[in-house]
Amino acid sequence: MPAVIKDVWYNPANRAFEGRIDITRGGKSFRYPCSIEGPMNMAPSEVRRRMESKARDMSDTPPAVFSSL
């Protein structure tokens, strides 16, 4: 499942990185909002890894719950 991270920002009030991840599965794209807690100086590679992992976990939801793009 290819994943593309879009529009990541840091929310200091929540002490978390937030953004959206697009996952392509079966020829369709699905968008997931993600938020991962961490310090502002967290390595970008770790932010990407954790956000992609969280989105992939959410993508295991039954397809009837998805909104298709």
Coordinates of all heavy atoms in Angstrom, one line a residue:
M1 N 0.8 -1.2 0.0 CA 0.0 0.0 0.0 C 0.9 1.2 0.0 O 1.5 1.6 1.0 CB -0.9 0.0 1.2 CG -2.0 -1.0 1.3 SD -3.1 -0.7 2.7 CE -2.0 -1.2 4.0
P2 N 1.0 1.9 -1.1 CA 1.7 3.2 -1.1 C 1.1 4.3 -0.2 O -0.1 4.4 -0.2 CB 1.7 3.6 -2.6 CG 1.3 2.4 -3.4 CD 0.5 1.6 -2.4
A3 N 1.9 5.0 0.5 CA 1.5 6.1 1.3 C 2.1 7.4 0.9 O 3.3 7.4 0.7 CB 1.7 5.8 2.8
V4 N 1.4 8.5 0.9 CA 1.9 9.8 0.6 C 1.5 10.7 1.8 O 0.3 10.9 2.1 CB 1.4 10.4 -0.7 CG1 1.9 11.8 -1.0 CG2 1.7 9.4 -1.9
I5 N 2.5 11.4 2.4 CA 2.2 12.3 3.5 C 2.0 13.7 2.9 O 2.8 14.1 2.1 CB 3.4 12.3 4.5 CG1 3.5 10.9 5.1 CG2 3.1 13.4 5.6 CD1 4.7 10.8 6.0
K6 N 0.9 14.3 3.4 CA 0.6 15.7 2.9 C 0.4 16.6 4.1 O -0.1 16.3 5.1 CB -0.8 15.6 2.2 CG -0.9 14.6 1.1 CD -0.9 15.3 -0.2 CE -1.1 14.2 -1.3 NZ -1.2 14.8 -2.6
D7 N 0.9 17.9 3.9 CA 0.6 18.9 4.8 C 0.9 18.6 6.3 O -0.1 18.6 7.1 CB -0.8 19.4 4.7 CG -1.1 20.0 3.3 OD1 -0.2 20.4 2.6 OD2 -2.3 19.8 2.9
V8 N 2.1 18.4 6.7 CA 2.4 18.1 8.1 C 2.8 19.4 8.8 O 3.5 20.2 8.2 CB 3.6 17.1 8.2 CG1 4.1 16.9 9.6 CG2 3.3 15.8 7.5
W9 N 2.3 19.6 10.0 CA 2.6 20.7 10.8 C 2.7 20.3 12.2 O 2.3 19.2 12.6 CB 1.5 21.8 10.6 CG 0.1 21.4 11.0 CD1 -0.4 21.4 12.3 CD2 -0.8 20.7 10.2 NE1 -1.7 20.9 12.3 CE2 -2.0 20.4 11.0 CE3 -0.9 20.4 8.9 CZ2 -3.1 19.8 10.5 CZ3 -2.0 19.7 8.4 CH2 -3.1 19.5 9.2
Y10 N 3.3 21.2 13.0 CA 3.5 20.9 14.5 C 2.5 21.7 15.2 O 2.4 22.9 15.0 CB 4.9 21.2 14.9 CG 5.1 20.7 16.4 CD1 5.3 19.4 16.6 CD2 5.1 21.6 17.4 CE1 5.5 18.9 17.9 CE2 5.3 21.1 18.7 CZ 5.5 19.8 18.9 OH 5.7 19.3 20.2
N11 N 1.7 21.1 16.1 CA 0.7 21.8 16.9 C 1.3 21.8 18.4 O 1.2 20.9 19.1 CB -0.6 21.0 16.9 CG -1.7 21.7 17.7 OD1 -1.4 22.5 18.6 ND2 -2.9 21.4 17.4
P12 N 1.8 23.0 18.8 CA 2.4 23.1 20.1 C 1.4 22.9 21.2 O 1.8 22.4 22.3 CB 3.1 24.5 20.1 CG 2.4 25.3 19.0 CD 1.9 24.3 18.0
A13 N 0.2 23.3 21.0 CA -0.8 23.1 22.1 C -1.0 21.6 22.4 O -1.3 21.3 23.6 CB -2.1 23.7 21.6
N14 N -0.9 20.8 21.4 CA -1.1 19.3 21.6 C 0.2 18.6 21.7 O 0.2 17.4 21.9 CB -1.9 18.7 20.5 CG -3.3 19.2 20.5 OD1 -3.9 19.6 21.5 ND2 -4.0 19.2 19.3
R15 N 1.3 19.3 21.5 CA 2.7 18.7 21.4 C 2.7 17.5 20.5 O 3.1 16.4 20.8 CB 3.1 18.3 22.8 CG 3.4 19.5 23.7 CD 3.9 19.0 25.1 NE 3.4 19.9 26.1 CZ 2.9 19.5 27.2 NH1 2.8 18.2 27.5 NH2 2.4 20.4 28.0
A16 N 2.1 17.8 19.3 CA 2.0 16.7 18.3 C 2.2 17.2 16.9 O 1.9 18.3 16.6 CB 0.6 16.1 18.4
F17 N 2.7 16.3 16.0 CA 2.7 16.5 14.6 C 1.4 16.1 14.0 O 0.8 15.1 14.4 CB 3.8 15.7 13.9 CG 5.2 16.3 14.2 CD1 5.9 15.8 15.3 CD2 5.8 17.2 13.4 CE1 7.2 16.3 15.6 CE2 7.0 17.7 13.7 CZ 7.7 17.3 14.8
E18 N 0.8 16.9 13.1 CA -0.5 16.6 12.6 C -0.4 16.7 11.0 O 0.5 17.4 10.5 CB -1.5 17.6 13.1 CG -1.7 17.5 14.6 CD -2.6 18.6 15.1 OE1 -3.0 19.5 14.4 OE2 -3.0 18.4 16.3
G19 N -1.2 16.0 10.4 CA -1.2 16.0 8.9 C -2.2 15.0 8.4 O -3.0 14.5 9.1
R20 N -2.0 14.8 7.1 CA -2.9 13.8 6.4 C -2.1 12.9 5.6 O -1.1 13.3 5.0 CB -4.0 14.5 5.6 CG -3.5 15.5 4.7 CD -4.6 16.4 4.1 NE -3.9 17.3 3.2 CZ -4.2 17.5 2.0 NH1 -5.3 17.0 1.4 NH2 -3.5 18.3 1.2
I21 N -2.5 11.7 5.5 CA -1.8 10.6 4.8 C -2.8 10.1 3.7 O -3.9 9.7 4.1 CB -1.3 9.5 5.7 CG1 -0.6 10.0 6.9 CG2 -0.5 8.5 4.9 CD1 0.7 10.7 6.7
D22 N -2.3 10.0 2.5 CA -3.1 9.3 1.5 C -2.6 7.9 1.2 O -1.3 7.8 1.0 CB -3.1 10.1 0.1 CG -3.7 11.4 0.2 OD1 -4.5 11.7 1.2 OD2 -3.5 12.3 -0.7
I23 N -3.4 6.9 1.3 CA -3.0 5.5 1.1 C -3.8 5.0 -0.1 O -5.0 5.2 -0.3 CB -3.4 4.6 2.3 CG1 -2.7 5.1 3.6 CG2 -3.2 3.2 2.0 CD1 -1.7 4.2 4.2
T24 N -3.1 4.4 -1.1 CA -3.7 3.9 -2.3 C -3.8 2.4 -2.1 O -2.8 1.7 -1.8 CB -2.8 4.2 -3.5 OG1 -2.7 5.6 -3.6 CG2 -3.5 3.7 -4.8
R25 N -5.0 1.9 -2.3 CA -5.3 0.5 -2.2 C -6.4 0.1 -3.2 O -7.4 0.7 -3.3 CB -5.8 0.1 -0.7 CG -5.9 -1.4 -0.5 CD -6.4 -1.7 0.8 NE -7.6 -1.1 1.1 CZ -8.1 -0.7 2.3 NH1 -7.3 -0.9 3.3 NH2 -9.2 -0.2 2.5
G26 N -6.1 -0.9 -4.0 CA -7.1 -1.4 -4.9 C -7.4 -0.3 -6.0 O -8.6 -0.3 -6.4
G27 N -6.5 0.5 -6.3 CA -6.7 1.6 -7.3 C -7.5 2.8 -6.8 O -7.8 3.7 -7.5
K28 N -7.8 2.8 -5.5 CA -8.5 3.9 -4.9 C -7.6 4.6 -3.8 O -6.8 3.9 -3.2 CB -9.8 3.5 -4.2 CG -10.8 3.0 -5.2 CD -12.1 2.7 -4.5 CE -13.2 2.3 -5.5 NZ -14.4 2.0 -4.8
S29 N -7.7 5.9 -3.7 CA -7.0 6.6 -2.6 C -7.9 6.9 -1.4 O -9.1 7.2 -1.6 CB -6.5 8.0 -3.2 OG -5.5 7.7 -4.1
F30 N -7.3 6.7 -0.2 CA -8.1 7.0 1.0 C -7.2 7.9 1.8 O -6.0 7.8 1.9 CB -8.3 5.7 1.8 CG -9.1 4.7 1.0 CD1 -8.4 3.7 0.2 CD2 -10.4 4.7 0.9 CE1 -9.1 2.8 -0.5 CE2 -11.1 3.7 0.2 CZ -10.5 2.8 -0.6
R31 N -7.8 8.9 2.4 CA -7.1 10.0 3.2 C -7.4 9.8 4.6 O -8.6 9.6 5.1 CB -7.6 11.3 2.7 CG -6.9 12.5 3.5 CD -7.0 13.8 2.7 NE -6.3 13.7 1.5 CZ -6.5 14.5 0.4 NH1 -7.4 15.4 0.5 NH2 -5.7 14.3 -0.6
Y32 N -6.4 9.8 5.4 CA -6.5 9.7 6.9 C -5.9 10.9 7.6 O -4.7 11.2 7.3 CB -5.8 8.4 7.3 CG -6.3 7.2 6.7 CD1 -5.7 6.7 5.5 CD2 -7.4 6.5 7.2 CE1 -6.2 5.5 4.9 CE2 -7.9 5.4 6.6 CZ -7.4 4.9 5.4 OH -7.9 3.8 4.8
P33 N -6.6 11.5 8.6 CA -5.9 12.5 9.4 C -5.1 11.8 10.4 O -5.5 10.8 11.0 CB -7.1 13.2 10.0 CG -8.2 12.2 10.1 CD -8.0 11.3 8.9
C34 N -3.9 12.3 10.7 CA -3.0 11.7 11.6 C -2.4 12.7 12.6 O -2.2 13.8 12.2 CB -1.8 11.0 11.0 SG -2.2 9.5 10.1
S35 N -2.3 12.2 13.8 CA -1.7 13.1 14.9 C -0.8 12.1 15.7 O -1.2 11.1 16.2 CB -2.7 13.7 15.7 OG -2.1 14.4 16.8
I36 N 0.5 12.5 15.8 CA 1.4 11.7 16.6 C 2.1 12.7 17.6 O 2.6 13.7 17.2 CB 2.4 11.0 15.8 CG1 3.2 11.9 14.9 CG2 1.8 9.9 15.0 CD1 4.5 11.3 14.4
E37 N 2.1 12.3 18.9 CA 2.8 13.1 19.9 C 4.3 13.0 19.8 O 4.8 11.9 19.4 CB 2.3 12.7 21.3 CG 0.9 13.0 21.6 CD 0.5 12.6 23.0 OE1 1.4 12.3 23.8 OE2 -0.7 12.7 23.2
G38 N 5.0 14.1 20.1 CA 6.4 14.1 20.0 C 7.0 15.5 20.2 O 6.2 16.4 20.0
P39 N 8.3 15.6 20.5 CA 8.9 16.9 20.6 C 9.0 17.6 19.2 O 9.1 16.9 18.2 CB 10.2 16.6 21.2 CG 10.5 15.2 20.7 CD 9.2 14.5 20.7
M40 N 9.0 18.9 19.2 CA 9.1 19.7 18.0 C 10.4 19.3 17.2 O 10.4 19.4 16.0 CB 9.1 21.1 18.3 CG 9.1 22.1 17.2 SD 9.1 23.8 17.7 CE 7.7 24.4 16.8
N41 N 11.4 18.9 17.9 CA 12.7 18.6 17.2 C 12.8 17.1 16.8 O 13.9 16.6 16.6 CB 13.9 19.0 18.0 CG 14.0 18.3 19.4 OD1 13.1 17.6 19.8 ND2 15.1 18.5 20.0
M42 N 11.7 16.3 16.8 CA 11.7 14.9 16.4 C 12.3 14.8 15.0 O 12.0 15.7 14.1 CB 10.3 14.3 16.5 CG 10.3 12.8 16.1 SD 8.6 12.2 16.1 CE 8.2 12.2 17.8
A43 N 13.1 13.8 14.7 CA 13.7 13.6 13.4 C 12.5 13.5 12.4 O 11.6 12.7 12.6 CB 14.6 12.4 13.4
P44 N 12.6 14.2 11.2 CA 11.6 14.0 10.2 C 11.4 12.6 9.7 O 10.3 12.2 9.5 CB 12.2 14.9 9.0 CG 13.0 15.9 9.7 CD 13.6 15.2 10.9
S45 N 12.4 11.8 9.7 CA 12.3 10.4 9.3 C 11.4 9.6 10.3 O 10.6 8.8 9.9 CB 13.6 9.7 9.1 OG 14.3 9.8 10.4
E46 N 11.5 9.9 11.6 CA 10.7 9.3 12.6 C 9.3 9.8 12.5 O 8.3 9.0 12.7 CB 11.3 9.6 14.0 CG 10.5 9.0 15.1 CD 10.6 7.4 15.2 OE1 11.3 6.8 14.4 OE2 9.8 6.9 15.9
V47 N 9.1 11.0 12.2 CA 7.7 11.6 12.1 C 7.0 10.8 10.9 O 5.9 10.3 11.0 CB 7.7 13.1 11.8 CG1 6.3 13.6 11.4 CG2 8.2 13.8 13.0
R48 N 7.7 10.7 9.8 CA 7.2 10.0 8.6 C 6.8 8.6 8.9 O 5.8 8.1 8.6 CB 8.1 10.1 7.4 CG 8.1 11.4 6.7 CD 8.9 11.3 5.4 NE 10.3 11.0 5.6 CZ 11.3 11.8 5.9 NH1 11.0 13.1 6.0 NH2 12.5 11.4 6.0
R49 N 7.8 7.9 9.6 CA 7.6 6.5 9.9 C 6.4 6.3 10.8 O 5.5 5.4 10.5 CB 8.8 5.9 10.6 CG 8.8 4.4 10.8 CD 9.9 3.9 11.7 NE 9.8 4.4 13.1 CZ 8.9 3.9 13.9 NH1 8.0 3.0 13.6 NH2 8.8 4.4 15.2
R50 N 6.2 7.1 11.8 CA 5.1 6.9 12.7 C 3.8 7.3 12.1 O 2.8 6.7 12.4 CB 5.4 7.7 14.0 CG 6.5 7.1 14.8 CD 6.9 7.9 16.0 NE 5.8 8.1 16.9 CZ 5.8 8.8 18.0 NH1 6.9 9.5 18.3 NH2 4.7 9.0 18.7
M51 N 3.8 8.4 11.3 CA 2.5 8.8 10.6 C 2.1 7.7 9.6 O 0.9 7.4 9.6 CB 2.7 10.1 10.0 CG 2.8 11.3 11.0 SD 2.7 12.9 10.2 CE 1.0 13.3 10.5
E52 N 3.0 7.2 8.8 CA 2.7 6.2 7.9 C 2.1 4.9 8.6 O 1.2 4.3 8.2 CB 3.9 5.8 7.0 CG 4.2 6.8 6.0 CD 5.4 6.5 5.1 OE1 5.9 5.3 5.2 OE2 5.8 7.3 4.3
S53 N 2.8 4.5 9.7 CA 2.3 3.4 10.5 C 0.9 3.6 11.0 O 0.1 2.7 10.9 CB 3.3 3.1 11.6 OG 2.9 2.1 12.4
K54 N 0.7 4.8 11.5 CA -0.7 5.0 12.1 C -1.7 5.0 11.0 O -2.8 4.4 11.1 CB -0.7 6.4 12.8 CG -2.0 6.7 13.5 CD -1.8 7.9 14.4 CE -3.1 8.0 15.3 NZ -2.9 9.1 16.2
A55 N -1.4 5.6 9.8 CA -2.4 5.6 8.7 C -2.6 4.1 8.2 O -3.8 3.8 7.9 CB -1.9 6.4 7.6
R56 N -1.6 3.3 8.1 CA -1.8 1.9 7.7 C -2.6 1.2 8.7 O -3.4 0.3 8.3 CB -0.4 1.3 7.5 CG 0.2 1.7 6.2 CD 1.5 0.9 5.9 NE 1.9 1.1 4.5 CZ 2.7 2.1 4.2 NH1 3.2 2.9 5.1 NH2 3.1 2.2 2.9
D57 N -2.4 1.4 10.0 CA -3.3 0.8 11.0 C -4.8 1.2 10.8 O -5.6 0.3 10.9 CB -2.9 1.2 12.4 CG -1.5 0.5 12.8 OD1 -1.1 -0.4 12.1 OD2 -1.0 1.0 13.8
M58 N -5.0 2.5 10.5 CA -6.4 2.9 10.2 C -6.9 2.3 9.0 O -8.1 2.1 8.8 CB -6.4 4.4 10.2 CG -6.3 5.1 11.5 SD -6.6 6.9 11.5 CE -5.0 7.5 10.8
S59 N -6.1 2.0 8.0 CA -6.6 1.5 6.7 C -7.1 0.1 6.8 O -7.6 -0.4 5.8 CB -5.5 1.6 5.6 OG -4.5 0.6 5.8
D60 N -6.9 -0.5 7.9 CA -7.4 -1.9 8.1 C -8.9 -1.9 8.5 O -9.5 -2.9 8.7 CB -6.7 -2.6 9.2 CG -5.3 -3.0 8.7 OD1 -5.0 -3.1 7.5 OD2 -4.4 -3.2 9.6
T61 N -9.5 -0.7 8.6 CA -10.9 -0.5 8.9 C -11.7 -1.1 7.7 O -11.3 -1.0 6.6 CB -11.2 1.0 9.0 OG1 -10.4 1.5 10.0 CG2 -12.7 1.2 9.5
P62 N -12.9 -1.7 8.0 CA -13.7 -2.2 6.9 C -14.0 -1.2 5.8 O -14.2 0.0 6.1 CB -15.0 -2.7 7.6 CG -14.6 -2.9 9.0 CD -13.5 -1.9 9.3
P63 N -13.9 -1.5 4.5 CA -14.0 -0.6 3.4 C -15.3 0.2 3.5 O -15.4 1.3 2.9 CB -14.0 -1.5 2.2 CG -13.2 -2.7 2.6 CD -13.5 -2.9 4.0
A64 N -16.4 -0.3 4.1 CA -17.6 0.5 4.1 C -17.5 1.8 4.9 O -18.3 2.7 4.7 CB -18.7 -0.4 4.8
V65 N -16.4 1.9 5.7 CA -16.2 3.1 6.5 C -15.4 4.2 5.8 O -15.5 5.3 6.1 CB -15.5 2.7 7.9 CG1 -15.2 3.9 8.7 CG2 -16.4 1.7 8.6
F66 N -14.7 3.8 4.7 CA -13.8 4.7 4.0 C -14.6 5.8 3.2 O -15.7 5.5 2.7 CB -12.9 4.0 3.0 CG -12.0 3.0 3.7 CD1 -11.7 1.8 3.1 CD2 -11.3 3.4 4.8 CE1 -10.8 1.0 3.7 CE2 -10.4 2.5 5.4 CZ -10.1 1.3 4.8
S67 N -13.9 6.9 3.0 CA -14.4 7.8 2.0 C -13.4 7.8 0.9 O -12.2 7.9 1.1 CB -14.6 9.2 2.6 OG -13.4 10.0 2.5
S68 N -13.9 7.7 -0.3 CA -13.0 7.5 -1.5 C -12.7 8.9 -2.1 O -13.6 9.7 -2.2 CB -13.6 6.6 -2.5 OG -12.8 6.4 -3.6
L69 N -11.5 9.1 -2.7 CA -11.2 10.3 -3.3 C -11.2 10.2 -4.8 O -10.9 9.2 -5.4 CB -9.8 10.8 -2.9 CG -9.5 11.0 -1.5 CD1 -8.1 11.3 -1.2 CD2 -10.4 12.1 -0.9

